[in-house]
Amino acid sequence: MEKVYSSLNEIKEDISNNGLSCVSLVESYLNRIEENKHLNAFLEVFTDEALAFAKDVDAKIANNTAGKLAGMVIAIKDNICYKGHKVSASSKILEGFESLYSATVVERLLAEDAIVIGRTNCDEFAMGSSNENSAYGNVLNALDNTKTPGGSSGGSAVAVQANLCLASLGSDTGGSVRQPASFCDVLGMKPTYGRVSRHGLIAYASSFDQIGPFTRSVGDMALITEVISGGDEFDTTCSKQAVPNLSENLGFDKKLKLTYFKSYIENEGLDAEVKGRFYEIIENLKADGHTVEETEFEYLDYLVPTYYVLTTAEASSNLARFDGVHFGYRSPNGTDLESTYKFSRTEGFGKEVKRRIMLGTYVLSAGFYDAYYTKGQKVRRLIKDKTEQVLKDYDFILTPTSPHTPFEIGKQNDDQIKMYLEDIYTAQAPIAGVPAISLPLGQHSNGLPFGFQVMAKSFGEQELLSFSKYLMDNN
Ligand code: GLN
């Protein structure tokens, strides 16, 4: 591709002043997707349809009737439904399944004239931190093909990293947008629980799941978030709270009161350079007149266990519907109803998904329900209350997004504890329901990137994005 765009504004500028058309823009993205096929970021590219849509958008631009995302070429994670298109959650069990309706987020993107270019690879049912759990192969980090892009929204992150589209949507249950954003040097945000409709998102853990964007600029993050946010009659957990004009209010001139937690940073699991850079940003903030206080959060060690007890419980219930009868893959080996269920689920689900269904079934079983599930809910409440309290006392909580830079493909996938600990810094926000963003502010001497995470108050996206813009401009 001749030119690499970092924001919709740059594209709009070229459309207005330099004769760029959406058709030629889509063509150049399609070329790049073809050239970068080895990255395995896309499971399907909607070539003809994207070109046809681009032609329509060009006509609307000429008539001055185009929506605010005209010129935005976007990819969607393969767990977001788009009517008449395949959706598989990167699972064999949904092989061949086509969406009967579109997710609310897709409807809203299309209504503003975004061009959906394809669906992206991910960990099966969004369970994983490296994209190694996809039934359709690994996604490669574009910066170093031996490294993972993170997960579970690895394909969505790489699509933006490698300029295969301008932006993408992922889903974040415990870090699946923010951790791959950190690994791929792009921005990734998990909005407040209930800010964005989950209608049409294939559920993993319904009380945690949120759809969130990957972008190369804060402006695009704000724009996409404002388009996809807001009440939806199809999702009763989606808030009706008014959506501010996020993208028009990114100015920032406040002196803030910020905090970070000592045990998160003075932790032997944290890479020394990631830590060094974290403190450097803290010093910059102080030098600019902000107050940054070191405090403590006593539940750090409970975040990952709480997350896995509760999300596997929800997953075991959500994934019960994939039985070989209602959707997708049906085993040819079944001889009656029960064996059809058994064979279809045994053959259709991958190893990690089966592990989680079994874990979740265990924590919900009669004898262990109180010991695990009820206890997990109680600990979630403690974490949520304490997080909210901290966010009453401080404007934002600062942490690294991930303790390290991208790890090698194949190195860690047999060590479940290690893999689950990938979520150490990202699990808190979805446990508490608060919004969090990963900003690409770290460059390691090993040549790989890492992110800086900011957590904000519930429905504090406007403040979070304004502060993000300031951080990106000043670091
Ligand atoms: N890595 C986490 C997990 O495997 C997060 C996944 C997600 O956010 N969907 O569950």
Side-chain angles (χ1 to χ4, degrees):
M1 181 155 92
E2 316 74 43
K3 186 162 173 187
V4 166
Y5 291 102
S6 296
S7 70
L8 183 59
N9 276 343
E10 289 174 16
I11 290 175
K12 285 191 164 162
E13 172 83 27
D14 273 2
I15 290 176
S16 305
N17 301 329
N18 300 316
L20 177 71
S21 70
C22 291
V23 169
S24 63
L25 181 69
V26 168
E27 278 168 351
S28 52
Y29 281 126
L30 290 170
N31 288 338
R32 278 192 68 93
I33 291 173
E34 188 58 33
E35 284 161 21
N36 288 281
K37 254 189 158 159
H38 63 286
L39 299 176
N40 203 22
F42 281 88
L43 291 181
E44 189 182 357
V45 183
F46 306 141
T47 308
D48 296 340
E49 196 182 344
L51 285 167
F53 202 90
K55 205 172 158 198
D56 288 349
V57 179
D58 281 332
K60 287 190 190 173
I61 292 172
N63 293 335
N64 267 328
T65 55
K68 60 178 160 185
L69 294 184
M72 169 72 70
V73 180
I74 195 164
I76 55 175
K77 183 175 179 177
D78 185 39
N79 61 355
I80 298 174
C81 294
Y82 184 7
K83 189 176 178 173
H85 297 74
K86 291 200 174 98
V87 62
S88 77
S90 289
S91 180
K92 190 180 164 191
I93 209 155
L94 276 171
E95 207 167 59
F97 178 75
E98 250 182 37
S99 299
L100 300 170
Y101 57 86
S102 289
T104 299
V105 292
V106 171
E107 300 270 16
R108 290 183 181 171
L109 289 175
L110 294 173
E112 290 296 343
D113 290 325
I115 299 163
V116 180
I117 196 161
R119 60 185 170 102
T120 52
N121 202 345
C122 57
D123 282 300
E124 187 179 3
F125 285 101
M127 297 174 185
S129 296
S130 63
N131 226 111
E132 290 166 289
N133 297 332
S134 168
Y136 302 102
N138 296 331
V139 176
L140 313 185
N141 193 307
L143 212 58
D144 175 346
N145 292 175
T146 67
K147 302 289 192 298
T148 83
S152 65
S153 315
S156 292
V158 170
V160 177
Q161 176 192 34
N163 291 299
L164 312 181
C165 50
L166 182 62
S168 61
L169 292 184
S171 65
D172 189 312
T173 305
S176 276
V177 168
R178 292 160 289 146
Q179 184 253 22
S182 175
F183 280 18
C184 294
D185 211 23
V186 296
L187 290 87
M189 182 167 83
K190 182 203 86 75
T192 308
Y193 184 77
R195 179 74 293 184
V196 176
S197 168
R198 293 180 294 107
H199 176 64
L201 170 70
I202 296 177
Y204 157 20
S206 311
S207 76
F208 293 72
D209 299 340
Q210 268 298 283
I211 292 169
F214 290 92
T215 65
R216 305 173 75 85
S217 71
V218 176
D220 287 356
M221 182 62 77
L223 198 57
I224 295 171
T225 305
E226 81 188 24
V227 167
I228 63 175
S229 293
D232 180 15
E233 59 174 323
F234 295 116
D235 174 5
T236 53
T237 65
C238 185
S239 168
K240 293 189 180 68
Q241 198 164 313
V243 184
N245 290 328
L246 299 169
S247 58
E248 283 162 32
N249 294 294
L250 292 173
F252 179 86
D253 60 0
K254 274 195 247 157
K255 293 300 170 204
L256 302 174
K257 202 175 157 208
L258 307 161
T259 191
Y260 64 89
F261 305 131
K262 185 172 184 207
S263 59
Y264 287 38
I265 311 303
E266 291 308 320
N267 191 306
E268 59 177 22
L270 181 61
D271 177 280
E273 283 186 41
V274 178
K275 177 159 108 181
R277 177 65 175 144
F278 182 83
Y279 281 134
E280 191 176 76
I281 296 172
I282 298 298
E283 287 314 311
N284 291 346
L285 284 163
K286 287 182 181 166
D288 207 16
H290 303 287
T291 305
V292 190
E293 289 176 3
E294 182 181 90
T295 57
E296 199 41 286
F297 190 83
E298 60 269 45
Y299 305 123
L300 174 65
D301 291 341
Y302 298 94
L303 296 173
V304 171
T306 304
Y307 171 80
Y308 279 95
V309 167
L310 297 179
T311 56
T312 55
E314 293 188 25
S316 72
S317 162
N318 275 328
L319 272 60
R321 70 191 65 161
F322 302 106
D323 54 9
V325 177
H326 291 91
F327 308 93
Y329 176 77
R330 179 175 304 168
S331 169
N333 301 318
T335 49
D336 56 11
L337 187 64
E338 194 175 328
S339 66
T340 300
Y341 287 162
K342 276 189 185 162
F343 280 117
S344 299
R345 286 169 68 83
T346 303
E347 294 160 20
F349 287 132
K351 189 166 148 196
E352 180 60 21
V353 172
K354 280 188 248 189
R355 184 187 346 259
R356 294 195 193 194
I357 292 172
M358 286 190 277
L359 259 173
T361 307
Y362 180 79
V363 304
L364 287 175
S365 60
F368 298 100
Y369 190 94
D370 282 343
Y372 292 106
Y373 187 69
T374 308
K375 190 65 154 285
Q377 293 285 30
K378 287 181 180 166
V379 180
R380 183 179 197 181
R381 168 58 67 172
L382 290 175
I383 294 168
K384 182 174 162 62
D385 287 351
K386 174 76 202 249
T387 304
E388 284 174 351
Q389 185 54 49
V390 175
L391 287 164
K392 278 202 181 101
D393 298 339
Y394 296 91
D395 292 298
F396 301 107
I397 297 168
L398 311 175
T399 79
T401 309
S402 161
H404 45 238
T405 56
F407 51 89
E408 217 161 296
I409 293 172
K411 266 282 159 66
Q412 181 159 317
N413 212 19
D414 291 330
D415 186 342
Q416 275 338 295
I417 300 289
K418 208 166 172 200
M419 202 58 114
Y420 291 177
L421 280 169
E422 284 298 308
D423 309 327
I424 186 79
Y425 296 129
T426 50
Q428 185 173 356
I431 289 174
V434 301
I437 194 166
S438 177
L439 302 171
L441 290 173
Q443 199 57 49
H444 200 276
S445 62
N446 66 12
L448 295 165
F450 55 89
F452 183 81
Q453 179 176 242
V454 185
M455 282 185 254
K457 295 174 185 54
S458 281
F459 298 96
E461 277 83 4
Q462 182 72 75
E463 294 74 18
L464 178 60
L465 289 163
S466 306
F467 181 48
S468 297
K469 174 133 178 42
Y470 160 83
L471 280 171
M472 294 288 289
D473 290 344
N474 289 283
N475 282 282

